[in-house]
Each structure stands twice: as structure tokens, then as C-alpha cells.
Amino acid sequence: MLGGAGILLGVAAVPAQAAEVSYKTECIPPAASGLGPVEGTTKVEITAPATAKVGDEIEVVWKFVQAASKNPDLIVLPKNSVKPTGTLKASGAQTADIAMEGPQENPEIPKGGDMVLSDMTGKVKLTTAGDVTLTPDAYTITAYSTDTKCTPQEAVPAAATIKVTAAEGGSTTSGGSTSGATTTSGGTATGGDTGGTTSGGSTTGGGTTSGGTTSGGTTSGGSTSGGDDGQTDFAGKTVTTSFACTSPGPAKIDSSATISAKKNGGSYDLTVKTAKGVMNSPAPLPAGALKPSMVITVGGDDSGSLKVEGPANKDALNTGDPVSLGDMTGTYKPGADGKATLSPGDLTIVVTLSAGSDPITIPCKATKTAVSLELDVQKQAGGVSGATTSGSGSSSGSSSSSSSSGGGLAETGANDHGGLRALGFVAGTAILLGGAVFTFLPRRRVR
């Protein structure tokens, strides 16, 4: 009896009506995505009571028959990662903007599949007798904590009309059950750059010194220098780092990093730790979704760079879970004699949403860094001096999205504009739009 939108709160339920309308739509992706406006066709079905009385509070349902675009041929959108909100306009005997909201519920949406959005509901209290018409208006699609705002580009036909009669004194109210769905206004405001600077206190990680006479390897600000005194473990100091990421990455990341080394013959096995819990997961992410790498800059008497890589996340993540990058490891082979310095450099995060999906590469250029470790080194054949051995780990000039040739977007039911760029979280930008997705936060010192 309580059929969806046919509920009249406070009065007996009456027959519902449903009508479908379609209209040209322009969707504006987040500014940080670098995408222009999206044009497509929205098809909506509005369900509302056919009749009601003044004083009744009614519930209305907005069903998406077709969103403005399909999912592109680049990524798979995980289950329960997309949420719609919008506005339904009441006019005629009564004018009102009815806030509509749908749950964050959707099936896994394959590459090239139809965009599946949940039904939105909203409530309005009727105040005036007469015909009240209901017309779909703007709506917002929120995915991975970023908003794509869609507005009509033509006059939208009314989707439903409610005949409202004056209330009769002493009318019996038969308590229809209230669905209890809360309605919020407008689209969900998200994101912003909340990243504070992680102060990351110094890590003392005392390296072991074997017996015998030492030549007094110097320590500079917690950065251990080691010569031929038998020392094998060298703990670097924690330094503050900042990164500027290429769109669709966050505008800025503030974190910290510590470089430590273990001598292995004439080379050094490096371990790089970053601050723990520096970002929050924007949506459910599977195990193995995030894989970091970093360029280590070599200075002092040696020069060049090398690449360190970390493992992907071991466990699946829920929305809002703190995320830490795994320890990154690599090998430094000195290319000169003397004192070599090691500093954190550019960071790269590769995101893979699901098995078989194309990886999305997010390059982040180091804008603030410092020397974390100083070593007394001896030149080795094939050493790093004067060479860059970072390979693909260097984010300078790299593409922000692999296999992205114009987005590869599926067409919609409206005009063909050479592959519509739909919804703003497409074209390889599903993970890091607008800086709101992975928000780096100061949490704790690196241990």
C-alpha cells in the first residue's frame, strides 16, 4: 500500500502517478579535472500522488531512466561509489524547490556500461489549493568525493501534476508510515584541500656500530654519515615534504619522509618511509589498488637520481579509512667518492580500481624537500653519478592517465559531440579529482 512516492504522510494514501520527461543537459566537471562542459540528455521519471489536501506532506520519487552519459571505456566504477542529489521544482498553486537525494547505492558499473544512479526522494508540505506541477531541475552526481553539477539547457516539461484541495475541518488522519529518509539541500559540498603539514619529528633509529676504532663519521641533523668504520645501518632524519600533483591529482600534498640505508657490499639498500595515515580513502577500494614509487635525488659529491618502489595496499579499504603508503625500497650504487646526500623527490601513485582495468598514474612533483641522509661513499662501477636511474618512477612530464586518448567516452542518447566527456570523474580521472579524494592529513610521526 505504501508504494514509493504514493505515500501521503498524515492522510490516507491515494493513487500515484508517474511520468517520464527528457531534456538537454550540461554537466560541469570539477575545475581540477581540466575537462570542459559535458552535453547530453537526461531522462527522468517523476512519481507523485495524483491528489492531496492542503496540509499534507507528500513524498516524491525521481528515477533516472538515463543519465547524461555512459561510463567510459577506461575504468570500472565500484559498487556503492556514486550518489545523486538534485532539485525538483514545484510551481502553479504553490512554488517550492524540493531537495532530492538518493542513497550511495549502485551496482559495479563496467567500462562502457550505462551509468546507474539510485532513485532520489524528497518531501514537500502542500500549502495552497490548486494544481501543483513538478518539474526536474539541476542535479549533482557525487563520486569519489567530487561533484559534477548538471543543469537543464532547455525548458523542461512538467513531469507530474498534483490536484490539491482545501483541507476539511476535522478530517480523519490515518497515519501513513513515514519512510524516514532525510533530505539534504542541494548537491553535496565536498573536498577542499585539507592537507596540513605533517611535522614528522626526527626519527632516531639508532644504527649499530661495530667495535674497533671509528674515524668519527659525522652526524648532521640526524642524518648519519658512515665510512669504512664497520657501520652497516644508517638511519636518516625525517624531513617535511610537499608535492604538487598533476591534474587529476590533488593540488597539494603535505607529508614527511625518512630515508634509511643498509650497506650491502659497495652499494646501499634504501628504505623510504612516509607519514602514516596521510590520506583518507574516498570510497571502497580493493586490496592492491594503490602502489607508490618515488625518485630519490642524489647530491653532494655524487649526483643523479634513483627510483624506490613500495607495495600496493594489502587490505581492502572502506570509505573514510586512513591510508598509508607502504615503505618504498631500492638500491643506491655510488658513482663517486666522498659524501653523498639523499633527498626525497617526485612521488608517483598508480591506482588500479579492479582487475583488468587500466591503471591511472598520478605524478606529483616535489616542491619542498630536504636532505634526509648523508653517507660517506666509495665509487662503484656502474654507479649513479651523472645518471638518472629513476626510469618510469620519475613523474616529471609523465602522463596523468595511461591509455587516455581523449577519454574514450561512450555516447549518450543526445547529440553526438565526438565522444561526450561525461560526469567529470571519467576520462581516467575517477580517482583524484579536485584534490578532495586523497586528502593528506597530519597524523603521527613516522616510526
Side-chain angles (χ1 to χ4, degrees):
M1 182 174 71
L2 303 180
I7 302 173
L8 278 178
L9 304 181
V11 298
V14 298
Q17 56 177 327
E20 179 182 312
V21 296
S22 63
Y23 53 95
K24 294 178 182 178
T25 307
E26 181 182 72
C27 294
I28 306 297
S33 70
L35 299 176
V38 178
E39 294 183 8
T41 296
T42 300
K43 294 182 180 180
V44 170
E45 181 182 275
I46 301 297
T47 303
T51 61
K53 294 181 179 181
V54 172
D56 292 344
E57 185 179 50
I58 63 167
E59 184 178 77
V60 184
V61 173
W62 170 321
K63 179 181 179 64
F64 285 95
V65 178
Q66 176 182 290
S69 176
K70 295 178 180 290
N71 191 27
D73 292 328
L74 182 63
I75 58 173
V76 175
L77 291 176
K79 181 179 179 180
N80 299 338
S81 62
V82 182
K83 177 182 177 68
T85 54
T87 300
L88 185 69
K89 287 191 171 294
S91 59
Q94 176 180 344
T95 59
D97 287 344
I98 306 172
M100 308 294 291
E101 181 178 13
Q104 186 169 308
E105 294 177 357
N106 59 276
E108 182 180 274
I109 303 175
K111 293 184 289 185
D114 292 333
M115 187 63 63
V116 181
L117 302 175
S118 63
D119 294 350
M120 300 193 295
T121 60
K123 297 174 185 175
V124 62
K125 186 171 184 177
L126 302 174
T127 60
T128 308
D131 288 352
V132 176
T133 58
L134 302 176
T135 305
D137 195 53
Y139 62 93
T140 298
I141 298 174
T142 302
Y144 293 101
S145 301
T146 64
D147 291 341
T148 294
K149 298 182 181 295
C150 302
T151 54
Q153 297 301 294
E154 62 179 340
V156 182
T161 299
I162 306 171
K163 293 188 177 296
V164 183
T165 57
E168 298 178 1
S171 60
T172 303
T173 61
S174 62
S177 109
T178 303
S179 65
T182 59
T183 303
T184 63
S185 63
T188 304
T190 63
D193 189 0
T194 60
T197 300
T198 302
S199 61
S202 298
T203 300
T204 56
T208 59
T209 304
S210 62
T213 302
T214 64
S215 58
T218 59
T219 300
S220 174
S223 165
T224 304
S225 167
D228 292 328
D229 57 1
Q231 184 176 354
T232 59
D233 295 312
F234 305 95
K237 66 178 180 179
T238 299
V239 296
T240 299
T241 56
S242 293
F243 301 92
C245 299
T246 300
S247 177
K252 184 181 181 182
I253 294 173
D254 291 315
S255 186
S256 63
T258 309
I259 303 174
S260 298
K262 184 178 182 65
K263 194 168 185 180
N264 184 0
S267 300
Y268 296 84
D269 296 330
L270 302 183
T271 298
V272 180
K273 294 179 178 288
T274 57
K276 302 301 181 183
V278 293
M279 53 183 157
N280 295 326
S281 178
L285 293 175
L290 307 176
K291 184 176 176 63
S293 63
M294 181 180 282
V295 174
I296 301 301
T297 302
V298 181
D301 294 323
D302 204 353
S303 64
S305 62
L306 59 101
K307 178 181 178 181
V308 293
E309 295 182 298
N313 56 301
K314 181 176 64 174
D315 300 318
L317 300 168
N318 296 315
T319 302
D321 284 353
V323 180
S324 301
L325 300 179
D327 293 350
M328 292 171 276
T329 59
T331 300
Y332 165 49
K333 181 182 288 189
D337 294 327
K339 292 187 181 296
T341 60
L342 302 178
S343 306
D346 297 343
L347 172 71
T348 300
I349 301 174
V350 177
V351 183
T352 305
L353 286 178
S354 61
S357 65
D358 293 326
I360 302 169
T361 300
I362 307 298
C364 301
K365 183 175 181 60
T367 57
K368 180 179 181 180
T369 186
V371 173
S372 175
L373 183 63
E374 184 180 82
L375 297 169
D376 288 329
V377 298
Q378 294 180 340
K379 182 177 180 179
Q380 304 295 310
V384 76
S385 185
T388 298
T389 60
S390 59
S392 61
S394 174
S395 62
S396 300
S398 63
S399 170
S400 63
S401 174
S402 62
S403 305
S404 178
S405 57
L409 302 182
E411 305 301 328
T412 70
N415 300 329
D416 181 352
H417 290 272
L420 300 181
R421 296 182 172 274
L423 303 184
F425 54 82
V426 300
T429 65
I431 290 297
L432 294 171
L433 288 184
V437 175
F438 293 121
T439 303
F440 281 64
L441 303 172
R443 287 185 178 271
R444 63 178 71 90
R445 295 181 177 180
V446 179
R447 294 194 295 270

